[in-house]
Amino acid sequence: MGRLIEAAPGDRPARIAIVGAQGSGKTTLARAAAHAFGAAQISIDDVYLTRAEREAMARDVHPLFVMRGPPGTHDLGMLSDIMDQLAAAGPDDTTWLPDFDKRGDDRLPRDRWRPYRGRPSAILIDAWCLGALAEDAAALDRPINALEQGRDPDGDWRRAVNQFVAGPYRAFADSLDAILFLQAPSFDVVLDWRCQQEADLLGVDPADLPAEERARLADFIQYFERVTRRMLAGGVTADVTVKLDRNRVPGPIVG
């Protein structure tokens, strides 16, 4: 991480994304690196569109857009503005970083955002889908899971998501100095990783996570499955790739 930070232009903080499947350790790595290198850490989870904005997308584009997370449900313009504020900050300036209430499913009001004081050495963004490459149109014809089969049978939602990947998300990724990809061994580990995260939040052993909660998470990760599988199959632009085993132990590093 230090090498990526040092390689950025000298007139502004480095802009680096840490990407990968749910539960791969993106936020943990970003926070640790921010502490070690005097950087600012922002999670793309904290710049979701508001509940009202996603409900409008659900009416105007497709009902599945009410669910936060997939490309199209983030406020990339706000994220860009905050990065610009951090880059222009003086040593005594305060930049307010957004926060999102996942239980309430809405962005917290501005007076509850996190303060960042000064100008960081880098801006580290943990964001699962940045750097993903769009799929060919033909690849979108066939549903890949029960969610797409039952709630997107005509493919309108996945085509809209693919357009966001190809458009604003590609443009945002291209504006970054570097992308570090935490590569899961396969999509099969994502449910276990996501369940471990939830168990940690609940303060229980993963084996004691209620069956209904595991079933809910199994449904939830289907929203992310297509883009995640695309990235794991090589459909991602990354300057550094860290291969993880199923226990999230880092292996070979490429780049």
Side-chain angles (χ1 to χ4, degrees), residues 180-225:
L180 186 153
F181 178 37
L182 300 177
Q183 185 178 28
S186 73
F187 188 77
D188 295 339
V189 303
V190 174
L191 178 58
D192 285 340
W193 286 358
R194 189 62 187 81
C195 286
Q196 183 178 3
Q197 283 184 316
E198 197 67 19
D200 290 344
L201 289 173
L202 295 174
V204 301
D205 188 272
D208 296 327
L209 192 70
E212 60 271 19
E213 184 64 14
R214 186 176 178 89
R216 182 188 72 81
L217 293 171
D219 289 338
F220 179 60
I221 65 173
Q222 292 184 67
Y223 286 85
F224 305 82
E225 182 172 356

Side-chain angles (χ1 to χ4, degrees), residues 7-150:
D11 60 341
R12 60 168 174 78
R15 299 182 175 193
I16 300 169
I18 301 170
V19 307
Q22 288 183 302
S24 58
K26 303 180 298 297
T27 302
T28 299
L29 176 58
R31 287 175 176 168
H35 178 75
F37 295 103
Q41 175 266 332
I42 307 173
S43 175
I44 203 169
D45 289 359
D46 289 326
V47 296
Y48 289 132
L49 297 175
T50 65
R51 176 77 188 189
E53 289 169 330
R54 285 179 284 116
E55 287 176 346
M57 285 189 72
R59 292 191 302 269
D60 299 340
V61 184
H62 192 281
L64 288 178
F65 276 112
V66 76
M67 177 60 73
R68 66 182 188 266
T73 63
H74 305 97
D75 192 335
L76 296 182
M78 182 177 73
L79 181 55
S80 293
D81 289 344
I82 291 170
M83 292 169 68
D84 289 342
Q85 292 172 35
L86 287 166
D92 297 323
D93 291 334
T94 297
T95 304
W96 293 92
L97 307 182
D99 207 348
F100 193 91
D101 177 12
K102 292 184 178 179
R103 297 294 181 186
D105 194 25
D106 213 344
R107 190 184 302 158
L108 289 173
R110 192 177 183 85
D111 61 4
R112 295 178 62 187
W113 289 12
R114 296 180 291 125
Y116 186 91
R117 189 173 179 83
R119 184 175 185 265
S121 65
I123 303 166
L124 307 180
I125 307 163
D126 53 283
W128 75 276
C129 57
L130 285 180
L133 298 175
E135 292 186 274
D136 295 333
L140 303 170
D141 292 339
R142 177 177 169 272
I144 65 167
N145 56 32
L147 173 74
E148 293 186 359
Q149 180 70 50

